[in-house]
Structures are given as structure tokens and as C-alpha cells.
Amino acid sequence: MITKDMTILDIVDKYPETIDVFQAYDKTHLTCICCTSLFETLENTVSMHNLDLVKLLSDLNKTLQKINIEE
Amino acid sequence: MESKIVDARGMACPMPVINTKKVLEAIEEGSVTTFVDNEAAKDNVIALANSMGCGVDVQHEGNEYRIQITKKGTNINLGEQTADTDNTTIFISSSEMGRGSSELGDILMKSFMFTLVESEKAPQTILFVNGGVYLTCENSPVLDHLVNLQNRGVEILSCGTCLDYFKLKEKLAVGQITNMYTIYEKMDSADKVISL
């Protein structure tokens, strides 16, 4: 389970599959979240990049669910 | 002493950091040399090393960076730190001390840092946020004092969001970059927080 107080590094280190989710956001927001906010919490990252916290959390946790189902 | 190499050239963020982190976590002490070919990866690998309390040396050639990270065994400095510091956190949110006159504020901040250096018991952590991060960067009037405090075991932490906002990340000259989660954690776990 990914929560808003985890840092981006904690998330991608523990769940490498989420890198794709961040990279998808990079394309739509023309930034590199992992480059600029790796040591920030998800909550801070969202405010820095003007993202939707609920949607991002949902996208990340859906990725985890998919992995669990496939396993 | 173990010596490992991480070749992260050609890798996109966050892989250089993740690969370096895994190797650093796997060794008790020793050195890890990471090769990267972009500035963002270099900055993040340095930040990782700092956050893990490791020494860092960076060499730059063309588009490539060679980052040598030295990890010391845990608790090596713990005895010194507990002897010389107490569990106080100082929270600094401006480069000046107090309001009224900027010029006087600068003088007072210098005087405060000098007093900290001279005091018998140093704080455990000094947190710098907002305009306070100017104090931990190049050309800071109190840089020598902060380096001195760091050498005595004081943890110097600057807010990463603030360094980004003022475009100072490249100029950080002492201590490590931190995030709001850690800032809160340091304040919450301190016996006493002094806010300037």
C-alpha cells in the first residue's frame, strides 16, 4: 500500500513497477518527477508539480493490485 | 574495505539512485563508485549518499560524472555526537535574525552562529527552510561556523523544496538536503525546538 507520506524513492525502490506510472505523468506534465522530487514525500511532490494526489495515489495503488493479481 | 562500481551511464532516473542504494545497503563499510551521465542523476546520487551519512567526492569529465561514495561502519561517530550535542533542534526560516533591520538581522545571525560554535553543547540538528537555506549555500556569511558545527557532529539539513525554489541546489555547501517529512520528524523527536 502506497501512502502520501512515503518518499518517491521509497515507492520506486520498494515497488519498481510504479516507475512507469511516474513516467506517464512526466509525459503529460513535461517534467521528470523522479529527477526533481526523488527525496520528497508524495504529498510534497504533488504540490510541487500541481498534480492530483487522489488520482496519483489511486494510479500507483492500482499498479500494485495488478501485480498482486498477476502473481 | 569493499569497493564496488555502479555503472549507471545511459540509465534514466531513478535507476542510478536505486542501483547505488542497493549496493550501499549491501556493504557494511567501503566505497562505491557510481558513474552517471546526466546532472539530475549526479545530484540525486549525491543526495542519496548524504542522506545515508556517507562521504562523497565527485569528478566531472565531459558529460560524465564519477561519484565516489565512502560508507563508514555504523555508530562510528555516535559516541562523539552524544558527548558533544544535546537533543535540541534549531529551526531557521530566514537568513536574518528577527525583524526590523535586514542589516542588523545579518549581524545577529552571524553572532548567533558564532555563539553556537562557542557553546559547550551544540544542538543535535539545525533545520533550514525558506530563506534560511541561503545560510547553507556558497557565499553564506556563516558557512565556516556551520562547517565547524557539522564537524562536531551537528546534523545540518536544508529543505529541498526551498533550495529548488531559490535555485540553490547546486550551491549547497554544507549538510544535506531533506524533505518536510524528515523536518517534522526531527522537530517531533527533539527534546527542545528553538525556532528563529
Side-chain angles (χ1 to χ4, degrees), chain B:
Chain B
M1 282 255 292
E2 283 191 78
S3 178
K4 304 258 182 191
I5 289 176
V6 177
D7 188 353
R9 286 173 289 192
M11 288 184 192
C13 268
M15 294 321 293
V17 172
I18 290 180
N19 290 351
T20 306
K21 184 171 181 273
K22 283 191 178 19
V23 174
L24 272 174
E25 282 171 346
I27 61 168
E28 186 68 30
E29 65 179 317
S31 77
V32 176
T33 306
T34 299
F35 293 91
V36 295
D37 56 8
N38 67 80
E39 212 172 312
K42 182 241 332 171
D43 289 344
N44 282 330
V45 171
I46 292 171
L48 171 81
N50 284 332
S51 75
M52 294 176 79
C54 301
V56 189
D57 180 56
V58 185
Q59 284 172 14
H60 184 196
E61 203 174 303
N63 290 330
E64 293 184 1
Y65 298 90
R66 178 183 180 274
I67 307 160
Q68 176 143 15
I69 303 166
T70 311
K71 183 180 180 182
K72 289 180 180 164
T74 48
N75 301 331
I76 282 175
N77 294 321
L78 215 57
E80 286 169 34
Q81 286 186 14
T82 46
D84 203 26
T85 61
D86 63 12
N87 190 16
T88 298
T89 287
I90 300 182
F91 180 78
I92 297 179
S93 56
S94 166
S95 59
E96 301 158 6
M97 189 183 202
R99 294 187 185 90
S101 155
S102 275
E103 196 184 355
L104 177 61
D106 285 339
I107 295 167
L108 294 176
M109 185 58 84
K110 270 191 240 175
S111 171
F112 178 79
M113 289 299 174
F114 176 75
T115 308
L116 268 188
V117 169
E118 293 296 306
S119 69
E120 257 177 50
K121 282 271 181 187
Q124 196 163 57
T125 306
I126 311 180
L127 300 168
F128 294 87
V129 303
N130 211 323
V133 296
Y134 278 98
L135 297 173
T136 55
C137 292
E138 289 169 16
N139 302 322
S140 158
V142 297
L143 195 56
D144 289 347
H145 296 328
L146 291 177
V147 170
N148 190 323
L149 287 165
Q150 182 174 250
N151 291 340
R152 280 174 63 188
V154 179
E155 192 176 23
I156 310 280
L157 298 176
S158 296
C159 154
T161 308
C162 312
L163 289 166
D164 267 341
Y165 182 85
F166 293 116
K167 300 191 174 23
L168 285 172
K169 224 166 195 169
E170 294 292 311
K171 296 187 173 168
L172 185 70
V174 62
Q176 296 154 20
I177 298 174
T178 191
N179 57 46
M180 201 52 82
Y181 182 71
T182 304
I183 290 172
Y184 172 71
E185 221 173 41
K186 295 288 175 191
M187 292 169 91
D188 188 48
S189 62
D191 290 337
K192 187 168 60 185
V193 177
I194 298 171
S195 187
L196 295 188

